[in-house]
Amino acid sequence: AQKITQTQPGMFVQEKEAVTLDCTYDTSDPSYGLFWYKQPSSGEMIFLIYQGSYDQQNATEGRYSLNFQKARKSANLVISASQLGDSAMYFCAMREGGYGQNFVFGPGTRLSVLP
Amino acid sequence: DVKVTQSSRYLVKRTGEKVFLECVQDMDHENMFWYRQDPGLGLRLIYFSYDVKMKEKGDIPEGYSVSREKKERFSLILESASTNQTSMYLCASSLIQGSNQPQHFGDGTRLSIL
């Protein structure tokens, strides 16, 4: 069964510093996608970044980058130059190839950015 | 941009009432999902649908039903609301196939059952 682990229930970071949120996954499907979502206190889930299992390069989207280590089955999110508005819950998720409901979410990490 | 719209951000109902949560997406996605989210428990899948009139149970379907009469609309129904159904409800949609396709979420409905 596919599984996502986020070992950090909570993280603190100083404003303007970089922070890494950990995510490890488990799957036997060679084709899969990894996603990160942000959920601020208002509740909406915002899609941040995607990494495909066959991608040779780490994904980047603005201040977000994904440190993808396929052999270790890890897909850590790096946020550079943290801002107060980055304070939120962050969820790692995985989708395997094929049809149907094959999406699984991790338990989340709560990030607090300190002024 | 994909738009997933949930009918209410906040909703207060009484025990025993029949409650309808509506979700509409505008991107012609085949898959639609209903999750509930509770502190410490993460996102738990209630039901999903991969086509009109098709539905599949998720992890916690008890006490809920769903309806998908049109491709763009997926409704969650609490047949007889109970206080333990007080929660945040999130609707999502995605294309039916492709490991590179994310789920897109609505803003969520905070439901309180009194």
Side-chain angles (χ1 to χ4, degrees), chain B residues 47-51 53-57 65-67 74:
Chain B
Y47 269 97
F48 78 99
S49 168
Y50 54 89
D51 200 353
K53 296 191 186 296
M54 304 305 290
K55 61 184 179 184
E56 294 283 344
K57 293 181 180 179
S65 62
V66 290
S67 172
F74 192 36

Side-chain angles (χ1 to χ4, degrees), chain A residues 39 43 45 89 91 105-110, chain B residues 21 34-46 59-62 64 76 78 82-90 105 108-113:
Chain A
Q39 187 180 41
M45 292 279 279
M89 283 289 288
F91 292 93
F105 287 85
T109 294
R110 181 170 298 281
Chain B
L21 302 183
W34 275 106
Y35 294 90
R36 67 176 281 177
Q37 184 180 24
D38 302 287
L41 296 178
L43 275 76
R44 293 183 291 169
L45 182 65
I46 304 172
D59 300 318
I60 50 164
E62 296 78 19
Y64 303 95
L76 180 69
L78 285 65
S82 64
T83 55
N84 63 12
Q85 293 178 309
T86 291
S87 186
M88 171 70 139
Y89 290 87
L90 291 162
F105 285 83
T109 296
R110 294 187 191 273
L111 175 64
S112 296
I113 307 296

Side-chain angles (χ1 to χ4, degrees), chain A residues 5-49:
Chain A
T5 303
Q6 294 179 257
T7 58
Q8 307 150 315
M11 289 278 287
F12 291 90
V13 65
Q14 208 69 37
E15 193 178 8
K16 300 181 185 178
E17 292 187 351
V19 63
T20 298
L21 306 184
D22 294 341
C23 172
T24 58
Y25 59 92
D26 184 30
T27 180
S28 56
D29 194 328
S31 176
Y32 55 88
L34 297 157
F35 307 85
W36 278 91
Y37 288 84
K38 172 184 178 182
Q39 187 180 41
S41 58
S42 50
E44 68 273 26
M45 292 279 279
I46 303 166
F47 166 56
L48 295 177
I49 194 168

Side-chain angles (χ1 to χ4, degrees), chain A residues 3-111:
Chain A
K3 184 179 176 181
I4 298 282
T5 303
Q6 294 179 257
T7 58
Q8 307 150 315
M11 289 278 287
F12 291 90
V13 65
Q14 208 69 37
E15 193 178 8
K16 300 181 185 178
E17 292 187 351
V19 63
T20 298
L21 306 184
D22 294 341
C23 172
T24 58
Y25 59 92
D26 184 30
T27 180
S28 56
D29 194 328
S31 176
Y32 55 88
L34 297 157
F35 307 85
W36 278 91
Y37 288 84
K38 172 184 178 182
Q39 187 180 41
S41 58
S42 50
E44 68 273 26
M45 292 279 279
I46 303 166
F47 166 56
L48 295 177
I49 194 168
Y50 159 80
Q51 179 83 46
S53 58
Y54 295 118
D55 292 345
Q56 295 296 312
Q57 295 196 333
N58 288 339
T60 60
E61 288 285 348
R63 293 186 299 111
Y64 304 108
S65 61
L66 212 152
N67 183 1
F68 181 46
Q69 298 186 47
K70 192 171 182 177
R72 294 186 177 184
K73 294 189 174 180
S74 76
N76 298 338
L77 177 71
V78 181
I79 305 174
S80 63
S82 297
Q83 301 172 357
L84 296 178
D86 293 334
S87 294
M89 283 289 288
Y90 288 82
F91 292 93
C92 180
M94 177 173 66
R95 183 177 186 181
E96 294 174 336
Y99 289 88
Q101 167 49 15
N102 47 15
F103 220 95
V104 64
F105 287 85
T109 294
R110 181 170 298 281
L111 178 66

